[in-house]
Amino acid sequence: MASKRKVRVAVIGCGVISDLHLRCFSRNADAEVVAVCDLVESRAVAASEKAPGARWSTDAAGVFAAADVDAVSICTDHASHAALACAALDAGKHVLCEKSLARCASDLSKMVSCAGRHPELVAAGVFQHRFEPLPRVLKGLVAGGAFGDILTATGSLHCFRSADYFRNDAWRGTKAGEGGSVLINQAIHYFDLLLWIAGGAEAAKAFGANIGHRGVIETEDTIGIALKMKSGAVGSFAATSASERKWASRLAFHGTKGSVVLENDKLGFLSFSDARAEKRVRAKIEKALDAAAKVFPAGKAYYGNGHQAQIDDFVKAVKTGGKPFVSFADAAETDAMVFAAYASAARRR
Ligand SMILES: NC(=O)c1ccc[n+]([C@@H]2O[C@H](COP(=O)([O-])OP(=O)(O)OC[C@H]3O[C@@H](n4cnc5c(N)ncnc54)[C@H](O)[C@@H]3O)[C@@H](O)[C@H]2O)c1
């Protein structure tokens, strides 16, 4: 049953991504940000100034105990996600948690179990690109067999992160703080889309390397992964944060009837053996792109524009008692393959 009251939200962690969360919640007529929290007082105070009426705090436990908070949005480093999310759920709060849901496999399993113990609460993981029209229409087309049986699903992200980027925040590029580097942070969005559109993976084998950030980070800046898809297809994914390209993504799905390639989130290539099938699929994709142009304003290219849609979905799930589009369990399927890839790469060192 839908509640008439606004969903009262607290944003935990007031660093880079919190601005976008504050903006998206403020644009949702059914939500209001009532509290912001960061271990660093000046960050919490600065965030409260961007969220009129919100109080600030440096103590997440106090925020979770507050009766006037219905939901929390976790925007902290990866290592803190599990403890914060489980404490919030155990305190009766709905949770939206930024990617990567967890820093390691054991944190992931704690989070999924905790969400399972609280079916009355919404536990959602941020994978905002799943809300964009092009990935959504492609997922439907792949699932409906438009491309025939998928043979290969391949993806890549080539991007650049400077030494200062890693040095400015102690958690980045560390096993303990981030859980890895380019795969679990920048590339996870494209890795997620690859797996989600292709219907999921059941095994991952990987090689990792640190080529461009030696002496700067302890985790990988470059990785190559071979994937066994649940559908029987084979997959691969490669990523680096030491590229001369600032941000270049590619996803390709090749099937027995047709193939599609996305480059930088746009349609790059479409090919079918049957010209009429190609025309039909192209029309569906173009319709999705038109919808995207209307619904999604231009945003920071590498975040994509899905945060608003994901936050709206979260608020709606809380208000109606419904299911979020990306639950902890859904997001965990991708995280599990991230950790399988890391475990495999560690065995090959
Ligand atoms: N979805 C996306 O496109 C996207 C983009 C950027 C970042 N992120 C994710 O958002 C999260 C945060 O990233 P960021 O770049 O904003 O990091 P950041 O380092 O800029 O900010 C994190 C903040 O969390 C605070 N914090 C840590 N532990 C806390 C605790 N226990 N209580 C309160 N505050 C705490 C830190 O003091 C810091 O200010 C990460 O999971 C990251 O991967 C997602």
Side-chain angles (χ1 to χ4, degrees), residues 149-162:
D149 291 334
I150 296 296
L151 303 163
T152 63
T154 58
S156 61
L157 176 72
H158 295 98
C159 69
F160 179 72
R161 288 291 179 270
S162 68

Side-chain angles (χ1 to χ4, degrees), residues 55-238:
R55 62 183 182 274
W56 63 266
S57 160
T58 55
D59 171 28
V63 174
F64 301 156
D68 70 343
V69 171
D70 304 309
V72 302
S73 185
I74 297 178
C75 298
T76 60
D77 56 89
H78 301 168
S80 57
H81 288 179
L84 288 169
C86 293
L89 288 166
D90 286 339
K93 310 303 180 193
H94 305 278
V95 173
L96 175 67
C97 182
E98 262 297 349
K99 61 79 187 165
S100 160
L101 195 58
R103 181 212 42 178
C104 60
S106 77
D107 281 4
L108 186 65
S109 110
K110 279 182 204 148
M111 292 173 85
V112 173
S113 305
C114 187
R117 286 197 303 277
H118 294 289
E120 76 287 5
L121 296 171
V122 178
V126 172
F127 272 138
Q128 77 269 18
H129 294 274
R130 291 197 194 188
F131 288 80
E132 291 167 3
L134 186 51
R136 274 175 107 133
V137 78
L138 273 187
K139 178 164 175 66
L141 289 167
V142 168
F147 298 95
D149 291 334
I150 296 296
L151 303 163
T152 63
T154 58
S156 61
L157 176 72
H158 295 98
C159 69
F160 179 72
R161 288 291 179 270
S162 68
D164 282 348
Y165 165 85
F166 291 107
R167 288 189 182 120
N168 287 343
D169 289 301
W171 63 277
R172 299 189 199 275
T174 65
K175 198 74 189 159
E178 191 167 15
S181 190
V182 69
L183 176 62
I184 199 168
N185 197 330
Q186 292 79 30
I188 198 168
H189 294 295
Y190 297 97
F191 190 58
D192 176 62
L193 287 184
L194 183 79
L195 302 184
W196 181 61
I197 292 171
E202 57 186 48
K205 306 243 184 234
F207 289 96
N210 180 349
I211 298 170
H213 294 92
R214 277 189 217 111
V216 178
I217 61 174
E218 64 169 336
T219 46
E220 92 292 351
D221 71 358
T222 303
I223 193 161
I225 306 167
L227 294 158
K228 182 173 187 231
M229 298 300 187
K230 287 182 183 166
S231 70
V234 296
S236 70
F237 190 79

Side-chain angles (χ1 to χ4, degrees), residues 9-15 18-19 22-23 26 33-38 40-58:
V9 180
V11 172
I12 312 295
C14 302
S18 65
D19 259 13
L22 289 174
R23 259 184 285 136
S26 79
V33 176
V34 294
V36 292
C37 173
D38 199 291
V40 179
E41 185 177 310
S42 59
R43 290 188 179 185
V45 172
S48 72
E49 285 161 5
K50 292 176 202 154
R55 62 183 182 274
W56 63 266
S57 160
T58 55

Side-chain angles (χ1 to χ4, degrees), residues 20 70 102 110 117 201 233 259 305 328:
L20 189 51
D70 304 309
K110 279 182 204 148
R117 286 197 303 277
S259 337
N305 298 307
F328 270 21

Side-chain angles (χ1 to χ4, degrees), residues 309-331:
Q310 177 143 30
I311 281 174
D312 290 350
D313 173 77
F314 174 69
V315 170
K316 187 173 168 204
V318 171
K319 268 194 86 93
T320 61
K323 296 258 177 262
F325 188 59
V326 188
S327 67
F328 270 21
D330 298 329

